[in-house]
Amino acid sequence: MNALSTKKEKRRMNTSLIWLGRVVVVMIGLALIGAVYERMAEAADAKAYPPPGQMVDVDGYRLHINCTGTGSPTVVIVAGLGDWSTSWGGVVQPEVAKTTRVCTYDRAGLGWSEANPLPSDAAQFARELHALLENANVQGPYVMVGHSLGGLIVRVFAHDYASEVDGVVLVDSMNPKQVTESLSNKLALFSSIEAAVARVGVGRLLVKLPAIAPSLPAGDEAYYPLLFRPQTFQTAANEYRELPASAAEAAAVTSFGDLPLIVLTARLNDTPGWPEWQNELLQLSSNSEHLFAENSGHVIQFDQPDAAVSAILKMVELVRQSRHE
């Protein structure tokens, strides 16, 4: 290679490095702008969407719980993985509240609840929920309702605090047998990437696209502002990562005895093995019943909320009747 060719090659390399440097600077600038935008948006959302319930201190961090209605037993709804109270506050909670007291809440790091450094597994969630109910002066007896991952949490709660639980409703609940470590790790990684992207405000831009964020019922306006935060995605990643531990803890609970149990299954949930896994849940109690949401996928609270309401109210009535026998 002659001297002229060498000079041209160096010139091309220098030009490429200059452009690469410019691209890096622009990307860093956009990331900084996005991070500032995200912080400002979260602050604005906090003012626009205050918690509908009360913030309660639990071991140094505050959790959100929203109780409505009056009467006994108290229904406590435990949301699925990465989900919180708003999913149940649109239709299910108001309808159940016409008959008895019903509480929804947000696990640490989700919804309006503050994050904490503790493990994100079913045993910790059960302890956390019990402390929240005590500190909020929400007395039993309880009808525990668990959706998806919430079913694993309710399974542990009903075992650890059996004297305070009069009935259980599992709403398309996870079965411990369906959890695999490889899938949990993949989903945790994906949620961690979502958290990183959300930190620079990308989630708030995507939420404006109807295909990504379809419209929600009246009363659920806070859902997307709370969803597209880095804290929400990171909390979901933590819950995915701890799924094997949650499954093992729930699997250790093999029987509720004769505690009334309703298993509500989404008929349109096409996850391979789902019908068999749902049938197995009935074996947790000698006093169980299987109901179906005929026109619903996994998120029954959105797809067919009347089915969830009906199952919960049926359990409330069963508990009330048993008191008079």
Side-chain angles (χ1 to χ4, degrees), residues 37-306:
Y37 164 65
E38 175 63 27
R39 292 194 189 96
M40 293 176 64
E42 288 186 24
D45 288 340
K47 293 181 179 180
Y49 305 105
Q54 59 177 320
M55 301 296 294
V56 179
D57 182 81
V58 177
D59 296 328
Y61 57 96
R62 297 185 307 157
L63 299 182
H64 171 249
I65 185 169
N66 184 27
C67 297
T68 55
T70 58
S72 181
T74 296
V75 173
V76 179
I77 299 178
V78 185
L81 194 151
D83 198 13
W84 59 95
S85 58
T86 54
S87 291
W88 297 87
V91 177
V92 177
Q93 183 166 6
E95 287 300 312
V96 174
K98 294 176 181 178
T99 299
T100 195
R101 191 182 195 191
V102 53
C103 300
T104 54
Y105 81 106
D106 308 330
R107 290 190 295 278
L110 297 172
W112 287 274
S113 290
E114 297 173 351
N116 71 44
L118 299 173
S120 298
D121 60 77
Q124 166 58 27
F125 291 146
R127 288 191 295 268
E128 182 178 80
L129 174 55
H130 190 258
L132 172 62
L133 293 171
E134 280 194 333
N135 293 355
N137 197 30
V138 179
Q139 299 178 351
Y142 307 118
V143 164
M144 302 300 298
V145 179
H147 173 243
S148 195
L149 169 66
L152 302 185
I153 300 168
V154 164
R155 191 161 165 168
V156 174
F157 188 101
H159 173 269
D160 291 353
Y161 308 102
S163 64
E164 301 173 50
V165 179
D166 277 5
V168 170
V169 180
L170 298 179
V171 180
D172 221 41
S173 167
M174 283 185 178
N175 184 315
K177 290 184 178 180
Q178 76 183 90
V179 176
T180 64
E181 189 167 348
S182 60
L183 179 59
S184 298
N185 288 337
K186 288 178 183 178
L187 294 172
L189 175 60
F190 183 74
S191 290
S192 295
I193 294 172
E194 289 180 312
V197 171
R199 288 188 181 94
V200 294
V202 174
R204 300 197 176 266
L205 298 177
L206 294 177
V207 76
K208 301 181 186 301
L209 302 176
I212 293 178
S215 60
L216 291 171
D220 282 346
E221 292 84 2
Y223 182 77
Y224 287 135
L226 292 170
L227 172 62
F228 285 95
R229 300 174 306 165
Q231 175 177 294
T232 301
F233 291 120
Q234 188 56 57
T235 300
N238 297 341
E239 293 189 349
Y240 277 124
R241 196 172 291 111
E242 295 293 339
L243 258 184
S246 294
E249 291 156 359
V253 180
T254 58
S255 176
F256 295 153
D258 62 353
L259 182 73
L261 167 67
I262 289 178
V263 175
L264 175 62
T265 298
R267 187 75 82 174
L268 302 184
N269 188 335
D270 58 359
T271 302
W274 199 258
E276 293 77 16
W277 288 329
Q278 291 290 292
N279 284 332
E280 283 188 1
L281 297 177
L282 294 167
Q283 300 170 17
L284 285 168
S285 173
S286 60
N287 183 16
S288 63
E289 181 177 1
H290 205 171
L291 302 178
F292 295 89
E294 298 289 346
N295 303 308
S296 177
H298 184 53
V299 285
I300 296 176
Q301 68 272 29
F302 286 139
D303 295 345
Q304 198 178 342
D306 59 302

